[in-house]
Amino acid sequence: MLLRILLTGLLGVLWDGVTAFGGVRLVDGENKCSGRVEVLRHEQWGTVCDHGWDRREAHVVCLELGCGLAESALHEAHFGAGSGEIWLRHVQCSGHEASLTRCAVVLHSDAYCTHENDAGVICSGTLLMPTLTLLSPHTVFSPGEAVRFGCSVLLGHHLSDFHLYKHGVSTPLVTQRAEQGPTPVELTLTDIETFHQGSYSCRYRIKSGFPPQLLSSPPSNSINITVVELLTPQHWYNTSTEAPAGSVIKGHNFNITCSTPQQYPGGSFQLRLIRSNGTVRQTLPALSPSVTFTFPDAQSSNEGYYYCLYRVQMGGRTFISRESQPLPIAIRDPDPVLSPMVISWIVSSLTFVVTVVVIIIVAKVLCNKEKKPTELERETRTCVDNTYVALSINKL
Ligand SMILES: *[C@@H]1O[C@H](CO)[C@@H](O)[C@H](O)[C@H]1NC(C)=O
Ligand SMILES: *[C@@H]1O[C@H](CO)[C@@H](O)[C@H](O)[C@H]1NC(C)=O
Ligand SMILES: *[C@@H]1O[C@H](CO)[C@@H](O)[C@H](O)[C@H]1NC(C)=O
Ligand SMILES: *[C@@H]1O[C@H](CO)[C@@H](O)[C@H](O)[C@H]1NC(C)=O
């Protein structure tokens, strides 16, 4: 078989050299992409005998005409018998030829051909749709990662290149030359960013016609990829207004709120407290972009540095944001409390004490006055007494 193809190929090259073909057309079909195969030689259209006429030869005709690929290779004048010369008999293509007239011909075929053996073809009109697959094991990615796609097509030859398209972008993001060999061809998006999130499809191009032109296939199925970029959450705390900044009064309530600028479904917030004797973690589901951790009764065990992070599970992977800046919280003892009752009690006690002291002082002063008459009093009395004595003497 291989020998035969080699032989016919060699003969075909010789044959090619001595003939002058001008083109190929399909006639009497439904459209320009189906019908009886006719070739032009010496400015005269003639037919092709159906011996050895197969899908491989039909593909070459369809590609040459820009009609996609062959859907069927037809025998026995399916589109009616032609007229004039039968220019090609027992043509054998390898599939890589740009034109039917470049395919080899089995020269010494003993076949007897009439126009009842005219070959026909129905082409697909367009190229077959390629298939896009994801070679990466998941559909959700972090920025900076690479996404590997595979684009495959049944056609093995005439392939020129493969393109990866993002929905909504007209130019291909990745181009890969077609290698001889099995598809799928790998198309890799490297170092992705959030704007790469979206829907992807691939196309291939084939060299078709003579002179060759590039014919683009229809787009493949599409695959969505998601790019998760978790931004660092913010956090703050609220407590009673009398607490100085950065602190909470022991026994009062306080709340720490964690907030993310971009929320994904099913995420959660983790609050981490680093205190002098260890680390404590708490988690709450991120039902909204901000979540509040409540502490109804502040104790010294609540003192330390608080950190928030946001975590989300998507497509079987866990994504974790960076931790927020530390939020230090000190727990203070309450100031001594002066209630109105205590104040009035203190005031009345003080009043009582002051009154008692005043009474004692006054009593003491009065008592001293009675017991010890002063010098002046004594002299005065003496003086009065003497006067009385003197007066009495004068009367005598
Ligand atoms: C891809 O995403 C678009 C919109 O985001 C959606 O309409 C489409 O159904 C998705 N396709 C697949 C295959 O998931
Ligand atoms: C909580 O604290 C934040 C930041 O300190 C402040 O903007 C917000 O108004 C406070 N909320 C309440 C309810 O006090
Ligand atoms: C903390 O949150 C709870 C419950 O949401 C609320 O009742 C309380 O007033 C909040 N405390 C502060 C200091 O904002
Ligand atoms: C750390 O100290 C707090 C009180 O300050 C206490 O409640 C807690 O059990 C201690 N934790 C460990 C791991 O020792």
Side-chain angles (χ1 to χ4, degrees):
M1 181 65 193
L2 186 66
L3 186 67
R4 198 183 125 172
I5 287 176
L6 280 176
L7 189 65
T8 53
L10 182 64
L11 292 171
V13 170
L14 295 173
W15 177 256
D16 212 10
V18 294
T19 52
F21 284 104
V24 61
R25 68 180 184 185
L26 299 176
V27 294
D28 293 342
E30 275 184 14
N31 52 47
K32 76 172 187 71
C33 290
S34 70
R36 185 172 59 250
V37 182
E38 294 196 354
V39 291
L40 187 65
R41 189 183 173 199
H42 304 313
E43 295 180 357
Q44 208 186 336
W45 289 100
T47 62
V48 177
C49 179
D50 64 7
H51 291 159
W53 186 250
D54 215 337
R55 188 72 79 91
R56 202 194 304 239
E57 288 73 35
H59 277 326
V60 173
V61 172
C62 292
L63 287 167
E64 179 175 4
L65 291 171
C67 283
L69 293 174
E71 282 179 353
S72 47
L74 298 156
H75 299 100
E76 295 174 356
H78 180 89
F79 293 101
S83 57
E85 293 292 326
I86 299 173
W87 284 131
L88 290 172
R89 293 158 195 261
H90 210 139
V91 60
Q92 289 284 280
C93 304
S94 71
H96 295 281
E97 298 85 352
S99 168
L100 182 67
T101 56
R102 299 196 161 215
C103 293
V105 167
V106 180
L107 268 187
H108 299 292
S109 160
D110 51 1
Y112 177 68
C113 292
T114 70
H115 281 300
E116 294 302 311
N117 298 105
D118 284 348
V121 67
I122 297 175
C123 303
S124 63
T126 55
L127 293 178
L128 292 174
M129 203 177 114
T131 305
L132 185 69
T133 50
L134 197 57
L135 302 178
S136 299
H138 33 247
T139 58
V140 187
F141 299 87
S142 282
E145 291 184 324
V147 188
R148 293 166 54 232
F149 291 99
C151 189
S152 51
V153 58
L154 290 172
L155 180 75
H157 27 258
H158 289 90
L159 289 171
S160 167
D161 48 19
F162 287 80
H163 293 307
L164 182 71
Y165 286 89
K166 181 174 185 291
H167 184 76
V169 181
S170 57
T171 52
L173 267 66
V174 180
T175 296
Q176 181 71 51
R177 278 179 59 87
E179 304 287 340
Q180 292 295 334
T183 57
V185 163
E186 191 172 318
L187 297 163
T188 303
L189 265 180
T190 53
D191 198 14
I192 57 164
E193 293 182 39
T194 44
F195 67 79
H196 284 113
Q197 172 165 314
S199 182
Y200 286 82
S201 62
C202 71
R203 291 170 188 260
Y204 60 90
R205 294 194 302 176
I206 56 167
K207 284 192 214 81
S208 165
F210 191 78
Q213 292 172 318
L214 285 172
L215 188 67
S216 191
S217 78
S220 68
N221 57 305
S222 59
I223 290 181
N224 286 354
I225 67 157
T226 306
V227 181
V228 172
E229 181 171 29
L230 296 187
L231 303 172
T232 309
Q234 306 254 302
H235 65 339
W236 60 86
Y237 85 106
N238 296 90
T239 188
S240 43
T241 46
E242 59 263 37
S247 67
V248 171
I249 293 168
K250 189 179 255 175
H252 286 208
N253 76 49
F254 71 105
N255 295 335
I256 297 179
T257 303
C258 296
S259 175
T260 178
Q262 196 177 8
Q263 196 194 3
Y264 289 90
S268 63
F269 284 102
Q270 188 189 72
L271 184 67
R272 189 163 72 106
L273 163 63
I274 298 187
R275 57 187 188 194
S276 51
N277 67 349
T279 296
V280 192
R281 288 187 174 81
Q282 286 186 58
T283 301
L284 281 179
L287 302 177
S288 59
S290 296
V291 153
T292 300
F293 292 82
T294 58
F295 301 86
D297 180 18
Q299 294 302 322
S300 55
S301 58
N302 296 124
E303 185 166 273
Y305 292 90
Y306 287 86
Y307 299 83
C308 265
L309 63 76
Y310 180 58
R311 170 204 299 269
V312 70
Q313 283 211 327
M314 286 181 82
R317 305 180 77 190
T318 301
F319 298 87
I320 300 175
S321 78
R322 280 201 283 195
E323 250 180 349
S324 57
Q325 293 290 309
L327 172 70
I329 292 186
I331 308 296
R332 289 185 146 225
D333 284 326
D335 290 335
V337 185
L338 296 178
S339 74
M341 227 183 77
V342 174
I343 291 172
S344 73
W345 184 82
I346 290 172
V347 167
S348 47
S349 317
L350 278 176
T351 316
F352 177 76
V353 169
V354 167
T355 314
V356 168
V357 167
V358 167
I359 288 170
I360 289 170
I361 290 170
V362 168
K364 253 201 171 146
V365 167
L366 287 180
C367 193
N368 285 353
K369 245 185 190 165
E370 268 165 25
K371 276 180 187 167
K372 293 181 205 163
T374 58
E375 216 55 42
L376 180 68
E377 277 171 337
R378 235 180 284 145
E379 276 172 14
T380 312
R381 207 168 289 166
T382 313
C383 171
V384 169
D385 287 348
N386 290 347
T387 311
Y388 181 74
V389 170
L391 280 176
S392 307
I393 290 167
N394 279 347
K395 270 184 185 174
L396 289 174

